[in-house]
Amino acid sequence: MNTKSNGSTWRDSAGLAVLPIRLVVGWTYFSAFWRRVALENKLDPDVSGYVGEKFNHFLPQALGIKPIIAFLVEHPDLLKWSMVVFTVVEGVTGLCLMAGILTRAMSVSVFLLALGILLGSGWLGTTCLDEWQIGILGISAGLTLFLAGGGRYSLDHVVVERNFGVAESCWFRWLASGPLDVRRRQVLGGAAAVLTIALCTNQYFHGGLYGPLRNKSVAPIIEVSNARISDRNLRFTVYRTEGVDVYGSFLVGVTVTESETGRAVVVLRAEQLSSLPAHSITNRYIAAVKPGAYGVIVPLGAKAELNIDGLDIRIDPRHHYNLSLADVSGAVWTQALQIDD
């Protein structure tokens, strides 16, 4: 096969048509590397804005990959190196895509990176389903670039024009650029698969096909579990599963009431919660629950046990008790308490 003569179509038509997509998508991924490494150091677990903490935000509503995310955020060292590798892959993918180096291999990388973003964070987005749009457009762009190749304005094309031996090989056409023997039904099948992914994830995350519409990035929700009380101690676990990812939920009140009488036996207000000692909070993940200036801050995806000692109350084992947590937004979450001996 004469690659040079048979390649005029992909060089001058398909490759040229998708050139803006290749450049912009390439910059999208390279810029992630650039922001985390050159403009700021977001790969250091000890600095504000650590990318691993943002990764933790994906956990509560992730689709299909939740066990992987949970494992990584429970193992900080592995998480750190995973974020380094992920960032390097994004940088290499973006740079090679813009330059048109191994264009089809990089398009597969774009597809997989975008799929990970879609499954992990497709549920996030306070206004325009931001992460879902990023993920699904990345998937469709990856498929489009794979079909088109790099075109005339790519380094793949330079290899073909200079008649390097590798340009005649089958693997070069599949990994870089060049004419592919792809049937129409295969293209239509790929397009149908991408559309199916778009529709299914849109419905799963947001109810976008048939209602009700939902957005889990608007209002905070905290799940309360393992709530126990004694005369001297109150402990419970909080796990924030919904709400805006860029700032935490703020617990400004903790109340324990006796169900039979309605009497409040424990009342902790914002100033008392903000002065909780660090050892009273045991965090499970990277995103950390911690005392703040006006209560307890619970970031998205954070899970922690709060152990409050020094109480001086009398618990009647014949009665039932409920724990209520109040957020600064006015939301209240209630959980029945178990009585310790």
Side-chain angles (χ1 to χ4, degrees):
M1 177 183 292
N2 188 330
T3 303
K4 185 173 180 179
S5 61
N6 291 341
S8 59
T9 299
W10 70 265
R11 289 200 304 268
D12 299 332
S13 179
L16 184 61
V18 300
L19 178 61
I21 296 176
R22 177 162 64 84
L23 295 176
V24 172
V25 172
W27 172 251
T28 299
Y29 285 92
F30 181 76
S31 67
F33 169 86
W34 190 251
R35 290 193 310 272
R36 296 174 200 156
V37 176
L39 301 183
E40 294 184 35
N41 182 9
K42 294 190 175 184
L43 296 176
D44 185 347
D46 297 324
V47 302
S48 176
Y50 171 48
V51 68
E53 185 171 349
K54 296 182 181 299
F55 185 70
N56 194 160
H57 297 332
F58 300 170
L59 176 61
Q61 308 295 336
L63 172 60
I65 60 173
K66 187 180 294 187
I68 298 174
I69 298 175
F71 178 80
L72 290 175
V73 297
E74 288 177 334
H75 297 82
D77 290 339
L78 284 177
L79 176 64
K80 174 185 175 180
W81 288 110
S82 296
M83 293 299 98
V84 170
V85 171
F86 184 80
T87 299
V88 170
V89 169
E90 285 188 304
V92 171
T93 297
L95 189 61
C96 289
L97 203 59
M98 287 188 290
I101 302 172
L102 296 175
T103 303
R104 288 197 168 106
M106 295 304 106
S107 72
V108 173
S109 179
V110 165
F111 186 97
L112 295 176
L113 289 169
L115 181 62
I117 292 171
L118 177 66
L119 297 179
S121 62
W123 63 282
L124 291 171
T126 56
T127 55
C128 299
L129 316 186
D130 307 334
E131 301 295 337
W132 178 82
Q133 291 176 340
I134 292 172
I136 200 61
L137 289 174
I139 288 175
S140 58
L143 177 60
T144 301
L145 292 170
F146 181 85
L147 295 173
R152 179 177 296 275
Y153 301 101
S154 68
L155 291 181
D156 292 341
H157 173 71
V158 173
V159 174
V160 174
E161 284 293 295
R162 296 192 177 183
N163 290 318
F164 291 114
V166 294
E168 300 292 336
S169 63
C170 179
W171 69 262
F172 181 84
R173 292 193 296 274
W174 282 99
L175 294 180
S177 298
L180 289 180
D181 184 18
V182 179
R183 300 180 184 276
R184 180 177 299 179
R185 68 178 62 181
Q186 293 173 315
V187 177
L188 293 176
V194 169
L195 178 60
T196 299
I197 293 172
L199 296 178
C200 290
T201 53
N202 189 224
Q203 175 60 32
Y204 179 84
F205 289 130
H206 305 291
L209 294 185
Y210 51 89
L213 290 171
R214 54 185 177 272
N215 189 336
K216 296 182 178 181
S217 294
V218 176
I221 288 184
I222 291 180
E223 295 179 359
V224 186
S225 61
N226 301 323
R228 307 186 71 87
I229 192 170
S230 67
D231 290 344
R232 303 289 297 174
N233 174 268
L234 170 66
R235 67 180 186 275
F236 54 91
T237 298
V238 294
Y239 178 34
R240 184 171 159 216
T241 58
E242 295 186 21
V244 181
D245 58 326
V246 293
Y247 60 84
S249 170
F250 298 90
L251 294 182
V252 294
V254 173
T255 305
V256 175
T257 56
E258 194 174 60
S259 299
E260 286 76 7
T261 64
R263 178 174 63 95
V265 298
V266 175
V267 178
L268 299 176
R269 305 194 185 280
E271 57 272 15
Q272 295 165 293
L273 294 173
S274 64
S275 61
L276 286 175
H279 65 78
S280 66
I281 302 176
T282 304
N283 284 289
R284 181 173 176 181
Y285 302 141
I286 290 293
V289 176
K290 57 187 177 182
Y294 304 102
V296 173
I297 303 172
V298 186
L300 182 61
K303 188 173 188 178
E305 182 183 71
L306 278 72
N307 198 328
I308 302 173
D309 290 317
L311 302 180
D312 187 13
I313 56 177
R314 184 175 296 277
I315 297 297
D316 188 338
R318 298 169 300 176
H319 289 180
H320 300 86
Y321 296 85
N322 289 319
L323 169 69
S324 297
L325 306 182
D327 183 73
V328 70
S329 66
V332 177
W333 302 282
T334 302
Q335 175 68 28
L337 281 158
Q338 298 293 321
I339 300 174
D340 284 337
D341 295 333

